[in-house]
Amino acid sequence: MRAIWKGAVSFGLVSIAVRLYSATDEKDIRFHQVHREDGGRIKYKRVCSIDGDEVSYDDIAKGYDLGGGEMVILTDEDFAELPLTTSRAIEVLEFVPAEQVDPILYNKAYYLEPDQTAAKPYALLRDALTNTERVAIVKVALRQREQLATLRVRDNVLVLNTMLWPDEVRAAKFDILDEDVTARPAELAMAGSLIESMAADFNPLSYTDNYREALQEVIDAKVAGREVVQPEETEEAPAAAVDLMAALRASVERARAARGEEPAEATKATKTTKAAKAAVEKEEAAEPTPIKKTAKKAAAKKATPAKKTTAAKKSA
């Protein structure tokens, strides 16, 4: 790996010289735009929209659009005067519990490698973060921009996770959620049963990018001159659920079948299903059908006045 940044982690009076490496590598298959007839690469020219002349990199500046056709031009000198106090330092601001950092703030991950002379303080910070179960909130300047980030431990290595600033996260506002939409107890119990039937320990290696693999096969087939065969659809799109409880029950059974479990097997999911069924029966008893209401009325007619009074008192 090639280091993309060199500097130091600074917390208190301790300074740790480190190198920064990108911790992730996107595996997307990338394409070039080409001429369909002969495969020639499509090139783009930097052309000024006013005079139509091609512009060299040396004559390009950054412009901030004010709207209405007005533009503020900023040069390299303008950016050089900006106060980036953390230009060569990862400044620790505070240490917080890891669970308090909302994952939506995380952006990109980097590994930190210590210099030979900084191995001991590096290990000190790493072990201290592990023992206290906290992460460091830091500021760092990367690519001419000051960023908020966290320092945490992964596989015995310090990892820097750059973060979005709070005002970069959009607020979730959906009018439909302002309505009083609630699930029935029976539905919640059945949903819990479905979750238990699909419960597992997370193993990222068990998941694959099926689209990328299929696309690579198409490319390999083109290279080898083979005929590209369109794979057949193996699964039909699920139909829209009409009865929520029925859909939940079917989902539980499907999840069990996928795991090779018998319907009557005494698992935790089965116990939850029984609880869900009990909740359904309880809910049905609380909301009697017209037949049950008719039967109650018939029984009430046969009952004596004294019994009616007693029943009325009990219901009161």
Side-chain angles (χ1 to χ4, degrees), residues 46-72:
R46 299 171 299 278
V47 178
C48 177
S49 62
I50 296 178
D51 56 25
D53 293 339
E54 187 173 354
V55 181
S56 66
Y57 277 114
D58 294 337
D59 293 328
I60 294 178
K62 291 182 172 63
Y64 182 82
D65 192 352
L66 295 176
E70 294 184 308
M71 192 78 66
V72 175

Side-chain angles (χ1 to χ4, degrees), residues 253-271:
E253 295 304 323
R254 181 178 178 180
R256 285 187 196 162
R259 290 171 175 251
E261 297 178 2
E262 295 294 332
E265 189 171 282
T267 61
K268 187 176 181 181
T270 305
K271 294 178 181 178

Side-chain angles (χ1 to χ4, degrees), residues 51-202:
D51 56 25
D53 293 339
E54 187 173 354
V55 181
S56 66
Y57 277 114
D58 294 337
D59 293 328
I60 294 178
K62 291 182 172 63
Y64 182 82
D65 192 352
L66 295 176
E70 294 184 308
M71 192 78 66
V72 175
I73 298 176
L74 299 177
T75 64
D76 292 339
E77 290 74 17
D78 294 322
F79 286 99
E81 294 177 1
L82 294 177
L84 282 179
T85 57
T86 57
S87 58
R88 281 298 163 187
I90 300 174
E91 179 188 0
V92 176
L93 305 177
E94 56 187 0
F95 297 94
V96 303
E99 63 272 12
Q100 290 184 2
V101 181
D102 191 336
I104 198 174
L105 294 171
Y106 286 129
N107 192 5
K108 188 170 175 56
Y110 299 89
Y111 289 131
L112 290 182
E113 179 192 32
D115 280 350
Q116 291 292 334
T117 57
K120 187 171 182 179
Y122 181 98
L124 172 66
L125 177 59
R126 177 197 63 198
D127 296 343
L129 288 174
T130 302
N131 293 341
T132 58
E133 297 182 349
R134 289 179 177 262
V135 298
I137 303 297
V138 305
K139 274 188 177 181
V140 59
L142 293 175
R143 299 182 178 91
Q144 296 299 315
R145 184 190 176 194
E146 187 173 63
Q147 298 192 49
L148 192 66
T150 62
L151 275 183
R152 61 184 180 87
V153 182
R154 182 182 186 272
D155 294 336
N156 218 31
V157 174
L158 287 177
V159 176
L160 179 101
N161 272 105
T162 57
M163 301 166 64
L164 301 173
W165 293 98
D167 59 358
E168 293 179 315
V169 179
R170 294 177 177 176
K173 181 64 176 177
F174 305 106
D175 294 339
I176 190 173
L177 296 180
D178 293 336
E179 302 174 8
D180 187 16
V181 182
T182 56
R184 297 185 301 167
E187 293 169 341
L188 282 174
M190 187 60 71
S193 177
L194 174 59
I195 291 173
E196 290 295 341
S197 66
M198 299 177 66
D201 292 326
F202 178 62

Side-chain angles (χ1 to χ4, degrees), residues 225-281:
R226 296 184 284 109
E227 180 183 357
V228 180
V229 180
Q230 181 69 27
E232 297 181 0
E233 294 290 338
T234 56
E235 292 186 5
E236 296 181 358
V242 178
D243 186 339
L244 182 57
M245 284 299 299
L248 288 169
R249 287 195 187 97
S251 299
V252 171
E253 295 304 323
R254 181 178 178 180
R256 285 187 196 162
R259 290 171 175 251
E261 297 178 2
E262 295 294 332
E265 189 171 282
T267 61
K268 187 176 181 181
T270 305
K271 294 178 181 178
T272 311
T273 305
K274 290 180 178 180
K277 290 180 178 179
V280 174
E281 293 173 357

